Amino acid sequence: MKILLAAAEATPFIKTGGLGDVIGALPKALHQQSGVEIRVILPYYKKVAEKFSQQVSDVFWTFIQVGWRRQYVGIKQMVLDGVTFYFVDNADYFGSRDDVYGYADDGERFAYFQLAILEVIERLDFVPDVLHANDYHTALLPFLIKEKYHWRQSFSAIKTVLTIHNIEFQGQYDKGLLPDLFGVGTERYEDGTVRMAGCFNWLKTGILYADQVTTVSPTYAREIQTPAFGKGLDGILRMVSSKLSGLINGIDTTLYDPMTDAHLVAPFNAADLTGKAVNKASLQKRVGLPVDTDIPLIGIVSRLTYQKGFDLVIDEMENLLQKDIQIVLLGTGDPKFESDFVQFSQLYPEKIAANITFNLELAQMIYAGSDLFLMPSAFEPCGLSQMMSMRYGTLPVVHETGGLKDTVLPYNQFDGSGTGFSFANFSGYQLVQTLFYALDIYENQPDIWRDLQKQAMTTDFSWDIASLNYLTLYQKLLA
Ligand code: ADP
């Protein structure tokens, strides 16, 4: 079975969020678990070149047509953990820019990337049995196979999967892109198939054209079929519900292991948590909070957006800070949230440290050194941070939505089960009540706290399990 994963990011090459984690870990696990021949294709961003130019090798170069433009395509490759990663190199679109997204011509950049993929796979001698697209950046691949490359015989047996990692980003563009960049007519726009709210909508197109559509948790798969979560695509998703499923993500448990994580100052595991306190003290020192391992420390590592529920946190901050707690925040995003958190950290320097930056090392120190991890997302397709925090014995406090609901088992005081704390209604009141409840247990019932930490740390969040769901899906498609 040959699988090609196409995506805009993958660890360790490039990551801006959960998509990068998934595309980095899933192929490695699938390869190890089942021996499936799985390869990945990514853009060759400037940041990838800076770190990996010595390790990648040139495969070939060619030119492709992007509408009327003739564009250079360099193919590079690197094998990592038994998985071949291909990179599409073009200095203009990827190699000369500091960031991954956020450019006025993102539509053209990812149009080029998708066309390049389909133009090179024959020459790479890797026409896959399953072409697996991820998010809007590659969502048009199923459409292009059927509407642009239908004449290419070697493509006729390709099955397609589209995974929605976040339905918020849909790739909404002018219909002019169809002829101008993709070299196809506008018929499918005019008849409504690829149109949504007056735009050429890439994610909608992918949902309709892919053979299977998945998202990253069973709860989110149900939620996006409702108007409250579907971001306008709920009707389409209900229509194709028979090919829609929710497959929960895993985390890379070898990378995220408190016994071996190089970013930690002391290793620890579920059987012996003494090293966790050492990490806590070191974290407090590093972020400038008073070093006192008795004070409960609440960690936040996140994009600072409405999705992640930070309006609730900001609204309730004065209230929360009346307690004897510390908060360490790491995140970037909405400037309003950034400045709100900075202001609070200036008002209460003893209680809150705001690190407005992207820093993978500090993230690990927060997962390891905190007692609680706050993640009150309004919606959450899967969420990885809560799994990482549980792996490090840091109990998450979450809103029961999407993957948070599927991965965090709320503490049950009657049978002692649980791996964290959760609240059902998205409100500041419930967030505060749940956090205060968790703090009460932390302070007054340390034995129960320790049990919850152990239960969280020994829950299997590995891709060993999660990747098998993808294997089953691929097998079903090819049967
Ligand atoms: P999303 O993909 O919606 O941003 P996830 O929880 O699925 O959320 O994944 C977020 C990933 O990005 C996690 O690995 C988290 O540790 C990481 N991350 C988020 N913000 C930062 C940051 N400021 N610095 C370092 N890592 C971050």
Side-chain angles (χ1 to χ4, degrees), residues 84-106:
T84 300
F85 288 82
Y86 295 118
F87 300 92
V88 175
D89 180 25
N90 178 295
D92 243 13
Y93 290 134
F94 303 121
S96 58
R97 307 186 192 210
D98 291 327
D99 290 319
V100 176
Y101 316 114
Y103 298 99
D105 62 347
D106 278 357

Side-chain angles (χ1 to χ4, degrees), residues 49-67:
E50 281 167 0
K51 274 208 303 206
F52 292 92
S53 63
Q54 297 305 311
Q55 287 149 276
V56 299
S57 58
D58 291 314
V59 185
F60 62 79
W61 57 268
T62 182
F63 282 88
I64 64 163
Q65 224 42 57
V66 180

Side-chain angles (χ1 to χ4, degrees), residues 160-173:
T160 53
V161 177
L162 170 67
T163 296
I164 303 169
H165 298 260
N166 192 336
I167 205 164
E168 205 177 8
F169 309 107
Q170 300 182 1
Q172 288 140 312
Y173 296 105

Side-chain angles (χ1 to χ4, degrees), residues 15 18 21 302-303 308 330-331 357-359 367 383-385 388:
K15 159 175 158 180
D21 283 305
S302 185
R303 289 185 288 118
K308 301 290 179 179
L330 170 65
T357 173
F358 193 92
N359 184 326
Y367 290 125
L384 300 171
S385 300
M388 294 173 185

Side-chain angles (χ1 to χ4, degrees), residues 370-440:
S370 306
D371 299 298
L372 284 157
F373 189 80
L374 184 58
M375 195 165 173
S377 308
F379 69 94
E380 192 59 73
C382 178
L384 300 171
S385 300
Q386 81 281 10
M387 290 191 262
M388 294 173 185
S389 69
M390 286 186 274
R391 176 103 173 114
Y392 287 78
T394 300
L395 300 183
V397 173
V398 302
H399 172 219
E400 287 165 20
T401 186
L404 296 176
K405 188 170 175 180
D406 294 336
T407 55
V408 178
L409 183 66
Y411 169 52
N412 178 333
Q413 60 176 334
F414 300 106
D415 65 9
S417 64
T419 58
F421 301 88
S422 64
F423 54 97
N425 292 326
F426 186 67
S427 74
Y429 174 78
Q430 283 217 345
L431 181 152
V432 169
Q433 292 307 308
T434 309
L435 200 51
F436 284 1
Y437 177 56
L439 289 170
D440 180 48

